[in-house]
Amino acid sequence: MVEGLKGIDWYLLRSHNGYADDLPRLLKQARTSVEPHQELVGHLCGNEFDVSEATAAAWPFLLDLVAHDNTPGREWLLDEVCGSIAAAGGSRSDGVHPSWPPAWEAAKPALLALLDHGSATVRRGALFVLGQGRGDSAPVLPVLTRRWELETDPATRLCLVLVATEFAGRGDEAAVSWLRELEVPDHEPQAQLLVSAATSPDAGVILRGLTGDLGLFLATGSFEMGYDEVLEHVLWLVRPKDFEGMDLVLALVDVLPWRTEALDYLRRLFERDTTDVGLVVPFVPVWATDPDVRLRAFAVWLVGVARAREYRDLVAEAVYDHAVTSLGQRVSTLATSVLLELG
């Protein structure tokens, strides 16, 4: 590392905190201490869409740090620093310096080597970074195949599939083909649901995974896959702007543990684009009389968004519905507002 650091004119490079002449000292200190960590974050991590030229130059040295078991706070550096940088680089925004993509691809072999580390935590951390940074999948997919055959840790196996779906979800046909060819045992329903969502959505397979034990997603750690994030990722893969996707969301509305999330997703979808709202409007008469206040409130809101005047009488009846949703939304107030909008 030391000789490599000497070969770069750091004082000419801009970091997120100004010029990068401090970076060699901080990177060297990080080999034996956690003290420089916060300063490294200041130099190397901007916002979620920016990667500086100094960060691109420092990237291989960061990977060198996380590759050594004796680096203090190695897991933190891998997850918080490397993960944040990779996510920003993967955004491909205007704030990503042109030197980042080649630096990312050149360092991929070092990152892929971490998938053979003895610690499952390190393997999952490296997979998280790979999934966030994406780029060229050609060197990644063969390693995922080999690891799939060798990996015994359930959460890490799920991470392998998550990485492939990150590529596939952005139109990488090689990753889609990899997922289609992947043989996933029946006792891994969460992996099966991801494969189905990314390739040929099957509501039955996806619902089986979503209504099973989602603790495995939480155990992936670095991906921060809470319940909401799991559903967001699945729906992102399915793309509900088609028949199968909308069928899945509507099926989720009938699954009590996912009802709130599914309705929230539909609400956000139709706030952005009402093109497919007609697929859902026929459910208004059923939802408007459901015992669950969430469905009644959504039905009223939906009539307003769709300008579905044929259901004006149902909305008028809801003016006398004084139930309150978990968000503090009173159905009667919402109904009154929608009536005014319908005129």
Side-chain angles (χ1 to χ4, degrees):
M1 172 189 279
V2 176
E3 291 304 313
L5 288 169
K6 289 180 180 178
I8 298 174
D9 294 327
W10 295 96
Y11 63 92
L12 296 177
L13 303 180
R14 296 285 298 187
S15 75
H16 296 289
N17 273 358
Y19 286 100
D21 47 313
D22 250 1
L23 271 176
R25 174 182 62 82
L26 295 172
L27 290 166
K28 284 186 285 187
Q29 286 180 350
R31 294 181 301 171
T32 57
S33 172
V34 298
E35 287 188 13
H37 283 187
Q38 291 306 320
E39 283 189 79
L40 280 172
V41 169
H43 278 290
L44 300 176
C45 302
N47 63 37
E48 58 184 327
F49 303 111
D50 291 348
V51 179
S52 71
E53 57 180 340
T55 299
W59 183 246
F61 302 106
L62 275 175
L63 294 184
D64 186 55
L65 282 172
V66 300
H68 287 83
D69 293 341
N70 58 352
T71 298
R74 185 259 301 278
E75 284 79 6
W76 185 86
L77 285 172
L78 182 57
D79 293 347
E80 300 298 327
V81 181
C82 294
S84 297
I85 294 169
S91 73
R92 300 294 190 265
S93 75
D94 292 339
V96 177
H97 194 270
S99 61
W100 170 253
W104 167 252
E105 297 298 339
K108 259 183 184 170
L111 191 55
L112 289 167
L114 290 175
L115 300 189
D116 290 322
H117 195 276
S119 165
T121 301
V122 172
R123 297 197 300 275
R124 289 196 295 270
L127 286 166
F128 172 64
V129 175
L130 281 166
Q132 294 298 300
R134 294 178 298 278
D136 184 8
S137 66
V140 176
L141 296 174
V143 180
L144 296 185
T145 298
R146 182 173 59 80
R147 281 310 312 174
W148 181 258
E149 295 169 354
L150 297 173
E151 188 59 61
T152 58
D153 177 69
T156 308
R157 283 175 65 82
L158 188 58
C159 282
L160 290 166
V161 182
L162 276 166
V163 169
T165 63
E166 288 286 352
F167 283 96
R170 288 167 174 80
D172 189 313
E173 288 300 324
V176 173
S177 296
W178 186 89
L179 287 163
R180 286 198 179 110
E181 295 170 5
L182 189 66
E183 295 184 6
V184 184
D186 284 342
H187 65 266
E188 297 184 80
Q190 285 73 36
Q192 287 183 335
L193 88 87
L194 289 176
V195 172
S196 177
T199 57
S200 52
D202 182 314
V205 173
I206 295 172
L207 284 173
R208 176 176 175 248
L210 287 175
T211 55
D213 180 12
L214 290 180
L216 198 59
F217 277 102
L218 307 185
T220 59
S222 299
F223 283 85
E224 298 179 357
M225 295 292 279
Y227 297 126
D228 292 352
E229 289 80 11
V230 173
L231 185 62
E232 286 288 344
H233 190 71
V234 169
L235 294 178
W236 172 69
L237 291 171
V238 171
R239 305 279 196 257
K241 301 294 288 182
D242 56 46
F243 185 73
E244 293 86 355
M246 192 60 71
D247 270 2
L248 172 63
V249 180
L250 292 175
L252 287 170
V253 171
D254 290 332
V255 180
L256 284 176
W258 287 110
R259 176 167 289 171
T260 296
E261 288 80 2
L263 292 175
D264 285 347
Y265 189 89
L266 286 172
R267 189 185 296 268
R268 293 197 302 274
L269 187 65
F270 295 139
E271 281 175 345
R272 294 193 302 267
D273 183 359
T274 59
T275 303
D276 295 330
V277 72
L279 295 173
V280 181
V281 168
F283 291 88
V284 165
V286 177
W287 290 347
T289 57
D290 196 276
D292 191 331
V293 64
R294 292 174 293 179
L295 284 175
R296 299 202 304 276
F298 185 80
V300 171
W301 177 85
L302 191 61
V303 170
V305 169
R307 295 292 188 268
R309 289 182 172 82
E310 65 270 29
Y311 296 122
R312 193 179 187 284
D313 289 347
L314 288 176
V315 176
E317 291 176 15
V319 170
Y320 304 99
D321 184 342
H322 298 291
V324 181
T325 68
S326 60
L327 299 176
Q329 182 183 46
R330 191 178 293 274
V331 178
S332 57
T333 303
L334 178 61
T336 301
S337 175
V338 169
L339 281 178
L340 290 173
E341 291 176 8
L342 293 176

